[in-house]
Amino acid sequence: MKIFISQASGRSCTFAKEVYTWLESAPLGLTPWAAFNKNDLPVGADDYGRILEAAHSADFCLSIIADESDLSSPWINFESGLFYLKKDNPVFTFLCGDINHSKLKQRNHPLANVYAAYANEDSLLNLISAINRKIEVGKKSEDALDRFIKSHATKKLISSYQQIFSDRNNLLNDAKNGLTD
C-alpha cells in the first residue's frame, strides 16, 4: 500500500522525514512517497508530472500541517485535493505545533473534514487503525498495531516531534537566524 506524504517546507518537511521513516516501519506494508525524498522525486524530474503520477498510484494521502502558513500552501491543498476524488476519501492529516482541528474548522479549511492525528500514542494508534481499516488485504490485528505503537519506532517519532516543535528549540533557531529582539 502506497501512502503519499504531502508537506510544505520548514518544520513540516523536517517532521515529514521522521513520519516517512515511521510509516516504513509500520506492520501494514506501507510504502511512503514524498517529494523531499530524492528517490521518489529526483532532482531535475518533471515535478508536476511525478507528483500526479505518485498521487494517482497511491492508496492514501497524509498531509502534514505544522504552521499557519502550511494551511495556505498551494501544494498541500492541491495534493490533498487529488485524493478527495478517490473512493472512501483516503486523506489523513497530521497536525503539529499549535495547529489543531479547531483552527482548521475556523478557517473552513477542507482538511477539517478528514481524520486528524497528533504526536501521541493514542492518536497514532487511531491513525494506524484507520489506515488498517481501509486496507482490503493484509489487515493486522489490533494487538499487532498496539505493539507497533509501543515500539521504539513510535517512541522515536514522538521524541522527534517534541524536539522539532519545542518552544525552546524554536527560540534557538530564531536566534540563530536573527529573528529575535
Side-chain angles (χ1 to χ4, degrees):
M1 303 299 291
K2 189 171 176 182
I3 187 162
F4 184 102
I5 299 174
S6 178
Q7 88 293 323
S9 58
R11 294 188 307 166
S12 295
C13 188
T14 302
F15 186 61
K17 291 174 183 177
E18 300 295 329
V19 171
Y20 189 102
T21 301
W22 180 73
L23 288 169
E24 283 182 312
S25 68
L28 301 176
L30 298 172
T31 303
W33 187 97
F36 64 75
N37 186 317
K38 289 183 173 96
N39 293 325
D40 293 339
L41 188 63
V43 175
D46 170 20
D47 292 4
Y48 183 73
R50 293 291 289 261
I51 288 170
L52 283 176
E53 180 185 311
H56 178 71
S57 66
D59 302 289
F60 307 103
C61 177
L62 178 61
S63 296
I64 298 175
I65 311 292
D67 296 298
E68 287 281 336
S69 61
D70 293 352
L71 295 174
S72 57
S73 166
W75 280 108
I76 287 177
N77 293 323
F78 171 73
E79 292 165 352
S80 300
L82 293 172
F83 286 85
Y84 271 94
L85 303 175
K86 290 189 174 195
K87 182 182 172 192
D88 296 331
N89 190 11
V91 181
F92 304 95
T93 58
F94 206 118
L95 303 179
C96 307
D98 66 346
I99 302 297
N100 57 42
H101 198 252
S102 295
K103 280 194 179 181
L104 293 178
K105 283 190 167 240
Q106 286 171 354
R107 292 183 64 157
N108 200 26
H109 197 279
L111 290 175
N113 299 313
V114 302
Y115 179 81
Y118 300 90
N120 64 62
E121 285 187 6
D122 289 340
S123 186
L124 293 171
L125 178 59
N126 289 337
L127 172 65
I128 288 294
S129 295
I131 293 171
N132 190 47
R133 282 191 296 277
K134 291 183 180 271
I135 293 174
E136 294 177 16
V137 177
K139 288 185 192 229
K140 300 298 178 192
S141 70
E142 289 299 316
D143 285 342
L145 299 179
D146 195 49
R147 281 191 305 276
F148 173 64
I149 293 303
K150 293 184 181 342
S151 73
H152 173 72
T154 300
K155 289 181 185 0
K156 183 177 184 297
L157 178 69
I158 293 170
S159 175
S160 295
Y161 172 88
Q162 291 167 342
Q163 186 174 23
I164 293 165
F165 293 98
S166 75
D167 290 336
R168 182 175 182 274
N169 194 35
N170 293 335
L171 289 173
L172 290 173
N173 287 336
D174 287 350
K176 274 198 309 191
N177 296 319
L179 300 175
T180 59
D181 295 332

